[in-house]
Amino acid sequence: MIINRLRLVNFRQHESTELVFGSGLTGIVGPNGAGKTTLLEAIAWAMYGMPAARGNRETIRRRGAAPRSRVEVELDFSLGPHHYRILRTLGGAELYQDNEAAPIANSIGSVTERVTRLMGMSRDEFFNTYFTGQKELAVMAAMTASERATFLSRVLGYERLRVAQDRLKVERASLRAQLDTLRSGLPDPEVLEEAAKAASDRLTAADARLQLARQQVKSAEARVAELGPRWETAQQQKVAAAALESDLRLAQQVMETARQTATRVTAELAAAEAAAKRMQELDAALAPRSALREEAGALTRDAEGNARRAALGAQRKELAQRRADLAKQIGKSPAADALERARATVATVRQALDFSLEALEGRRTLWVQDAQAAATKREGLADQYRELVEQRERIMEAGQEGACPTCARPLGKEFESVLGVLDRQIEEVTFNGSFYKQRIEQLKDVPPEVTQLEEQMQGLKRQLEEANAAHARLAASLAEAARWRDEVQNLDARLAGIEADLAALPGAVYDQARHELVQAELKRLDPLALELERQRVGADRVPLLQEQKSGADAKRLDAEARDRGIRAALAALGFSEEGFRTVERAWRELETARQAAALSLVRDEGEATAAKEATVQAARRIEDRARRAREADAVALALRTNQELDHALGDLRNELNATLRPDLSELASVFLRDLTNGRYTELELDEDYVTTLLDEGEPKGVISGGEEDVANLALRLAISQMIAERAGQPLSLLILDEIFGSLDDDHRAAVVDLLRSLADRFPQVILITHIDSVRDGFDRIVRVTYDPRRGSAVVADEPLGGHDVAA
C-alpha cells in the first residue's frame, strides 16, 4: 500500500489541509498537540470509519466550526496494480477505483467492508502492522502466549490455513452425514431378490386366471346372441301394447270431456238467451239518461263559473288592502340624501380615528425603542464589566511577570498602572450600568401621552361604530322602500289581471235546485246502466255458445269411434304380460352371468397389470440400490480425500509455526544490530513469544526503558518485513508515531539510518515526531503547527536546510 494524497476538512484541529505524499522517508514534525497524529487518525478513519477514531462524531468536528459544517476526509492510495480513492463524511462514504466516475461502494458499511477485504486485514491488524506508535511498540507484551501466537499467525496469513481447515471440518461433517444417510438407506439384496421372485410367481398365476376369465366371457356372449332376438321381440310387443292402452285411455278421456263440455255449453246458452231478453227491458228504462247527462254538464259549468267569480273577488279585495298598506310604509321611508349625509359622517370619523391611531403608534414606538436601547446598553455594559473583571483577575494571578493581554509582553513596572486603568474602567462601567438600570425602571410604566391617545382612540372607535350602524340602518330602510315600490307595481299588474278574468266570465244564472234534481235522477239510473252492460256481455255470447255445442257433439262421436278401433288392435296384437315376464327373467339371469364374467375379466386383468408393475418395481429397486451403493462409495472417497487434505494443512501449519519463531528472531536480530550499532546482536523469542535480549550469547535479565523500546521496535519491523516477504501482503508502507520516547540521540539516529536502509522493502516510510534533532535524516519534512488565531492546524513543507519556515 502506498499513500498518494490526504485531504482533511474540519477534522479535529485541521480546518482545510491537503498533503501529497511520495516515496522515501517523510518526517512530520511539530509540537505536541499541533495535529500530527490527527493526520494518521484521518487515514485510519477514512479506511475503517468510526471504530478507528477517538471520541465520537461530534468530537471529530473541529472546534470553532459551525454545528452543521461538513466534516470530510479524502484519501488516495495505491494497492497492487489499482488506484483507490476514499471519500468519507460523518453521514456517508464512497470508494472509487482507477479514476472511475461511479463508486464501487457508496455507504459507510459497504466502504469499510470493501476496504477490509482489499487490505486482507481487520482494523486492529492494520494498526498492528502498518501503524506503530510508542504505546503500540509492546503490543504483544500485553497478550497471553496463545494470543501472541494467534496474532502472528493472523497477520502473517497463516490463519488462512486454519480457516481452510475449519471449512474442511464443516465439509467433512456434511460428507459423514451424507455417507451415513446413503448407507443406512441401502436395503438387503437377499430381500430384494425374494421380492422379485414373488412378483414373478404372482404374474404367472394372474396370467392363468386371466385366460379362464376370457373363456367365461366368450361363452356368456354366445348365449346372449341366442336369446337376444326373442327378448327384442317381447320388448317391442310390450311397447306397442303400452302405446295402444295409452291411446285407449286418451280416447276415453276425450269422450268424457266432450260430454261435460256439451252439458256446460247447453246451460250457458240458456243463460245468454235470457240476458238478451232482459236487455230489451233495460233499453226502454234508460232512454231519458242521455239528455239528463247533457243538462247536468251545463249546470256543472255554471256552478264552476259562479265559484270562480267569488274567488277572484276575494283575491282582488286582499291585493287592494296589501297595496294600501305598502303605500303607507313608502310614505314613512327616509329621503335619499339622508344616506349621503350618514356616509359623510362615517368617513369623517374614520379619518379622525386613523390620525389618532398613527399618533398612538408613533408615540408607542418611541417608548419601546427607548426601553430596548436602555436594555441593550445595560447588557453591553454587563458583558464589558465581566470581561474587565476577568482580565483584572488574570493579571493579578500572573503578577508582574505575566504577559500583557494586548501585547503579550511581561508587564513589569506597568503592572500597577494597568491595574489602575482597569479599576477606572470598571468604575465607569458600573456607574453607567446604574444609570441605565434607573432608565429601564422609568420606562417600565406606560407614558401618560400613550394612555391619553389610547382613550381618545377608543372614543373615536365607538363614534365610528355608531356612525356605521346609523348608515347601515338608513341603507336597509331605503333598500326596503325600493322593494316595496317593486311590490306595488306587481300588485297593480295582478289586480289588472283579476279584472280581466272577471270580465271574461259568462253571465248565466246558476240553478242549484235543478242541478241537484238532475244529479239524483242520474244516480237512480246508473245501476240500470251497469246491469245493461252486464246483460250485453251474456247476450253477445249466444252465437259462440251455439257453435261450441255443435263442436262438442262432433268430438264425442269421433272419440267413441276411436275407442272401438283401439280395442280391436289390442286384440289382434296378442300380447301377454305373463309370457313377457318369462322371457325377461331368462334374459336378466343371462345378463347377470355375463356381467359377472366381465367383472372377473377386469379384475384378473388388473391383477395381471399389478403383477407386471410389481415385477418392474422389484427390478427398479435392485437397480436403485446399486446406484446408491455407487454414490456411497464416491462420498466415502471424498471423505478420505478431505481427511488427507486436513492432515496435510495441519502439518503445514505446524511446520510454519515451528519456523516462525526462529525466522522472526533472526530478522529482529538484524534490525537490533543496526539500531544498537552492534551493541546487541541477537534477539530471541521463546516458546511463549516473549522477547529476550542476548548479551554475548547470554540472556540479559534487566534492560532499560530505551533498550526495551529498541527491542520492541526491532520486533515490529521484523513482523512487517515478514508480512511483506512470507505472507504475500502488498505491505510497502510503514508509519511510525512518536517512537523515540526513551531513546537517546544515538539510538534515534540509528533508527533513522535503519529506516532509510529499508527503502527497497518499504518504499514509503512516514515518521511522526516532535523532536527536531532527527530532522536531518529525512528525505522530506512536513511541519505541523497550530495557529490559535485561526483555531486550526497549519501544515507546510519545510526545506531540509533550515527551521524557520512560515507555516
Side-chain angles (χ1 to χ4, degrees), residues 281-296 514 517-519 521-526 528-529 532:
E281 298 174 356
L282 292 174
D283 283 338
L286 291 172
R289 186 168 179 266
S290 178
L292 288 173
R293 291 180 68 182
E294 292 179 2
E295 185 180 359
R514 177 60 184 168
L517 181 61
V518 171
Q519 286 179 337
E521 184 63 17
L522 286 172
K523 186 175 182 182
R524 185 185 67 81
L525 293 175
D526 284 343
L528 296 178
L532 176 63

Side-chain angles (χ1 to χ4, degrees), residues 324-345:
D325 294 341
L326 289 176
K328 291 180 182 179
Q329 294 294 336
I330 291 171
K332 296 178 181 179
S333 60
D337 58 351
L339 183 63
E340 292 298 329
R341 292 195 299 274
R343 187 179 292 110
T345 301

Side-chain angles (χ1 to χ4, degrees), residues 348-368:
T348 302
V349 176
R350 181 177 287 110
Q351 184 176 6
L353 177 62
D354 292 341
F355 179 76
S356 177
L357 180 62
E358 183 178 357
L360 174 61
E361 291 300 326
R363 187 63 187 87
R364 183 184 284 119
T365 300
L366 291 176
W367 168 52
V368 172

